[in-house]
Amino acid sequence: DRSAEFKLYKQLVQAEKLAAIGMLAANIAHEINNPLGGILAYSQLLKKNFNESDAVHSDLKEIESACHRSKAIISNLMDFSRDTSKDTKIIFSIKKLINDTLPLMNICLKSHKLLINMNSHDELLISGNMGELQQVLFNLITNAVHATPSGGEIRINTEKSANGQICIDISDTGCGISEDILPRIFEPFFTTKEKGKGTGLGLFVSYGIINEHNGRIDVKSKKNEGTTFSIYLPLWSEKNDSVYNQTV
């Protein structure tokens, strides 16, 4: 079927465009990071010339704080954009994984008038490729945002399941997924989004990443009542893993 082949070709071209945009975003983030470092340094130097009681000191302190926040967001963006396929396993908390991902979503969440309600536990540790798992969270939260265009709430809950796994639930109060579509959502290039707003690769890639980490993704949804994606990953312990480069 030549029409099907041509459609697949166009989708692959679009995927290549997205990869190129990712590289461009990383380069732009790097270029922004340099002048931002200069602003931070000068604000810190100027602050030393004023007493803490001076209004200018307070303003410079706010500039310094804003620079630190911006640099953290840029750092997260650069980590997210880079190729993480060759990264080795590290140990990290689920809370850190979520906290490093959410700043990337701030503008999108504010523009959609969405609230994030998070319940996470510091003691829940996993081992894996942090960049890839961050990509999974980014994809699922982005889908939740798109499903809730008129405002609402996105809930992120983590807990230890009965079988020794970590469960991360990402729930929204959006439009939900109809029963006839639900079985197909992890298929490559399948999307219900308008042209130009999705490639149908996000959930497919996320499914593959979680599978590589010996986990699984489940989904529950009702039309007009919201959706919950549940990620299950093995809980780290010294008994089942012994060699790591880093713990964060």
Side-chain angles (χ1 to χ4, degrees):
D1 188 342
R2 292 184 61 84
S3 62
E5 289 180 2
F6 183 66
K7 182 180 179 182
L8 178 60
Y9 168 75
K10 289 200 300 182
Q11 290 169 331
L12 289 172
V13 169
Q14 179 66 12
E16 289 296 322
K17 287 181 181 178
L18 290 175
I21 290 170
M23 292 180 61
L24 178 62
N27 289 332
I28 291 173
H30 181 73
E31 292 300 321
I32 292 174
N33 205 35
N34 291 331
L36 196 60
I39 295 171
L40 175 61
Y42 278 115
S43 65
Q44 290 172 335
L45 288 172
L46 286 170
K47 195 173 65 171
K48 294 179 180 179
N49 296 326
F50 299 92
N51 297 321
E52 291 189 10
S53 58
D54 293 333
V56 176
H57 185 280
S58 177
D59 292 340
L60 289 169
K61 189 174 181 180
E62 182 57 36
I63 292 173
E64 182 183 358
S65 297
C67 285
H68 281 301
R69 290 195 300 271
S70 299
K71 285 178 72 67
I73 292 171
I74 290 171
S75 177
N76 287 338
L77 178 60
M78 293 174 71
D79 287 343
F80 179 74
S81 302
R82 68 187 176 86
D83 181 8
T84 61
S85 59
K86 296 181 180 179
D87 284 3
T88 54
K89 286 184 177 181
I90 61 173
I91 306 166
F92 52 91
S93 72
I94 288 294
K95 190 168 186 178
K96 175 174 175 57
L97 176 67
I98 296 170
N99 285 342
D100 282 1
T101 305
L102 286 180
L104 301 173
M105 311 295 302
N106 278 343
I107 295 176
C108 190
L109 291 169
K110 288 179 180 178
S111 65
H112 285 75
K113 299 179 181 179
L114 285 165
L115 297 174
I116 287 281
N117 185 353
M118 187 176 78
N119 177 26
S120 185
H121 303 279
D122 289 317
E123 69 273 13
L124 295 179
L125 300 175
I126 61 172
S127 67
N129 185 314
M130 188 169 177
E132 290 185 348
L133 292 175
Q134 188 180 3
Q135 181 181 353
V136 173
L137 285 186
F138 184 89
N139 286 338
L140 295 181
I141 295 172
T142 298
N143 283 348
V145 169
H146 291 163
T148 321
S150 301
E153 181 183 29
I154 295 175
R155 298 180 299 278
I156 302 175
N157 183 68
T158 66
E159 61 183 7
K160 181 179 177 181
S161 61
N163 59 356
Q165 290 185 312
I166 292 173
C167 177
I168 310 170
D169 287 333
I170 300 174
S171 305
D172 64 66
T173 56
C175 59
I177 305 170
S178 61
E179 290 184 7
D180 58 321
I181 291 175
L182 203 57
R184 300 190 58 196
I185 60 172
F186 293 110
E187 293 180 8
F189 304 115
F190 177 78
T191 180
T192 59
K193 295 176 183 177
E194 297 176 18
K195 185 177 180 180
K197 292 188 177 181
T199 62
L201 288 171
L203 288 177
F204 173 69
V205 171
S206 297
Y207 182 90
I209 291 172
I210 296 301
N211 188 58
E212 288 175 0
H213 283 77
N214 299 314
R216 74 177 199 274
I217 301 181
D218 292 341
V219 58
K220 295 179 181 178
S221 184
K222 287 187 178 182
K223 195 67 177 174
N224 300 319
E225 293 185 20
T227 301
T228 297
F229 281 93
S230 298
I231 303 170
Y232 295 90
L233 292 166
L235 182 66
W236 175 82
S237 72
E238 291 184 278
K239 294 180 181 179
N240 52 35
D241 276 315
S242 57
V243 180
Y244 301 92
N245 283 5
Q246 185 182 1
T247 302
V248 293

